[in-house]
Amino acid sequence: MATSPPTLCPSSNRLISADVVRILAMLFICICHACGSGQFIQHQESMVGKAVSLTIAVLAHTGVDLFILISGYCGVYSTHKTERFFKLWLLVVFFNLLYVPLSLKAGYYDNPSHIMLQALPVPLAGGFWFFTAYTGLFILSPYLNDFIKRLPHSVHYTLFASLLFLFCFVNRGNSSTSEIAGTGYNVIWMCALYLVGAILRLSPPAWKNSTLIIAALIGLFAQTGTVVLASLLKAHPFSQAIPFQLSYTSPLLVMLAISLFLLLVRMNLQEWRFAKVVLFLSPLMFGVYISHSHLCILEHYITPFLHKFFIVERSADSIGLVVAGLAIFLLGLVASFIQSLVFRLLHADKCAAVLSKIWAHITQKTILCLFRPKE
């Protein structure tokens, strides 16, 4: 079966299917946060309901891996611009300013300066792990792109297999964590998955869609099985020996994410009206994440919201989990849209360009001072 190329929007030359993946990945992340904050699985009364909710939660766990894969898939051909990073950083600062009164009201912090430290792209005060790791990936991405483009296409899938073996199959004693990349909350895993996404773009695999569907189903149900088995044996020492427990670096979850990713980017989207909606929503996705994923927001605002509207008399259902995730997604979308309007009024693009020039000047001066040859 021949695979169709990703659909380009004729007006902007963007990969529409890639933007669809980005939106779906963020929806999955919202469902995942809803599941954790609302404890939907624990509140299920029937075993069937728990099984369905657990399967949905496992599927939603692919959101982060999908988001990184699409970064490599698109980033390998994109121009490295520092102002893009500073625009994202200004977005983080914007939402952290909003978090100050919300955190003080909830009694989460006594000192507003602590939450502003979390806006820095370094792990000083327990800020957003994804943004901190993404900062490292952004710095390294031009070197990763140069490296992968210089490699002959014949060795791309040797590297592909090596990356997955090193970062997924080489596990510690706790079988849910990679020996090198941990559970995936770091820049090492981001760089590895970025390269995987780049390989999938530079050397598209000839795997049939039917093969990808089978691989996705195996990954989904096998990963769900490991979670069930670990739960049943949680009081037994053998529970730690169960292979491939749920984490971003689990080979079962990665197989599911890659299969789903390839199925999605192969979509042939002919409806350009739909494409315009996708192009409108896609740039808002990072704001959706930042607007709701701070621990203060999750614990003191999202959790009460879920228990008030979706968990009635300590019971929940699988449909409620999906709707709750969609509600978080839509609330984040509204917040991100408002932020985009404020940024347009404040000319945030120009501010990001100025910060980029200042950063370039500082780094050039620093390099000249440190590495200037002796006369």
Side-chain angles (χ1 to χ4, degrees):
M1 175 180 176
T3 58
S4 57
T7 305
L8 293 172
C9 177
S11 60
S12 64
N13 206 37
R14 283 182 64 116
L15 287 169
I16 301 301
S17 55
D19 286 312
V20 170
V21 174
R22 191 173 286 111
I23 295 169
L24 187 62
M26 189 50 60
L27 177 59
F28 281 179
I29 290 170
C30 291
I31 292 173
C32 201
H33 287 166
C35 184
S37 298
Q39 296 184 321
F40 272 83
I41 297 173
Q42 292 88 328
H43 287 97
Q44 294 274 345
E45 295 180 350
S46 68
M47 291 301 294
V48 174
K50 286 186 177 182
V52 173
S53 292
L54 180 59
T55 305
I56 293 171
V58 169
L59 178 63
H61 262 81
T62 61
V64 169
D65 285 352
L66 286 172
F67 217 88
I68 305 170
L69 283 169
I70 205 63
S71 296
Y73 191 82
C74 296
V76 71
Y77 280 132
S78 65
T79 306
H80 189 265
K81 294 182 179 179
T82 314
E83 52 263 35
R84 289 179 184 171
F85 170 79
F86 281 107
K87 189 173 180 180
L88 290 180
W89 179 65
L90 289 173
L91 183 151
V92 176
V93 171
F94 173 84
F95 280 110
N96 272 51
L97 285 170
L98 296 181
Y99 292 156
V100 170
L102 293 174
S103 63
L104 292 176
K105 180 183 177 182
Y108 195 80
Y109 291 116
D110 296 326
N111 188 353
S113 62
H114 186 82
I115 197 169
M116 290 312 301
L117 279 174
Q118 295 180 338
L120 296 175
V122 288
L124 286 179
F128 301 98
W129 78 266
F130 188 90
F131 180 64
T132 303
Y134 180 81
T135 301
L137 175 61
F138 183 84
I139 294 169
L140 295 172
S141 60
Y143 308 104
L144 296 174
N145 290 342
D146 186 62
F147 163 72
I148 197 66
K149 286 178 180 177
R150 287 175 182 270
L151 282 181
H153 284 254
S154 59
V155 300
H156 276 172
Y157 278 88
T158 303
L159 176 62
F160 178 92
S162 301
L163 286 169
L164 296 184
F165 177 77
L166 286 173
F167 293 95
C168 297
F169 285 91
V170 181
N171 292 336
R172 295 191 189 130
N174 182 345
S175 54
S176 66
T177 58
S178 162
E179 184 68 35
I180 302 174
T183 53
Y185 291 91
N186 54 60
V187 69
I188 297 174
W189 176 241
M190 272 199 177
C191 289
L193 216 52
Y194 181 94
L195 285 173
V196 170
I199 290 170
L200 294 175
R201 180 73 181 279
L202 293 171
S203 301
W207 304 325
K208 295 180 179 180
N209 285 347
S210 57
T211 303
L212 293 174
I213 292 171
I214 292 171
L217 291 174
I218 291 173
L220 177 61
F221 292 114
Q223 187 68 83
T224 304
T226 64
V227 177
V228 172
L229 192 58
S231 177
L232 293 174
L233 299 175
K234 62 182 177 182
H236 195 281
F238 181 72
S239 64
Q240 292 298 315
I242 299 171
F244 312 144
Q245 294 182 34
L246 184 60
S247 72
Y248 295 138
T249 56
S250 165
L252 296 173
L253 193 75
V254 174
M255 180 171 71
L256 170 59
I258 291 175
S259 302
L260 187 61
F261 174 80
L262 287 172
L263 287 168
L264 290 169
V265 295
R266 288 177 178 179
M267 288 191 304
N268 190 11
L269 303 175
Q270 302 294 342
E271 299 293 334
W272 297 123
R273 290 184 181 179
F274 173 71
K276 290 180 180 178
V277 175
V278 170
L279 290 171
F280 169 75
L281 293 177
S282 182
L284 302 175
M285 291 303 103
F286 196 77
V288 173
Y289 169 76
I290 297 296
S291 66
H292 84 273
S293 59
H294 192 277
L295 285 177
C296 172
I297 304 301
L298 286 172
E299 292 178 9
H300 293 276
Y301 294 94
I302 298 295
T303 299
F305 167 76
L306 295 175
H307 280 266
K308 182 176 180 180
F309 292 102
F310 296 99
I311 301 175
V312 182
E313 296 180 356
R314 300 187 63 80
S315 66
D317 55 54
S318 304
I319 297 176
L321 170 59
V322 176
V323 175
L326 183 60
I328 294 173
F329 178 83
L330 291 175
L331 289 172
L333 194 61
V334 171
S336 185
F337 177 67
I338 293 172
Q339 167 266 317
S340 69
L341 294 179
V342 173
F343 271 32
R344 192 175 301 173
L345 291 173
L346 297 177
H347 301 286
D349 288 342
K350 293 182 179 179
C351 293
V354 170
L355 288 171
S356 177
K357 290 179 181 178
I358 294 172
W359 175 253
H361 180 74
I362 292 172
T363 52
Q364 287 173 6
K365 288 289 186 182
T366 304
I367 291 171
L368 285 173
C369 291
L370 291 175
F371 302 103
R372 178 180 293 169
K374 294 181 179 180
E375 296 179 358

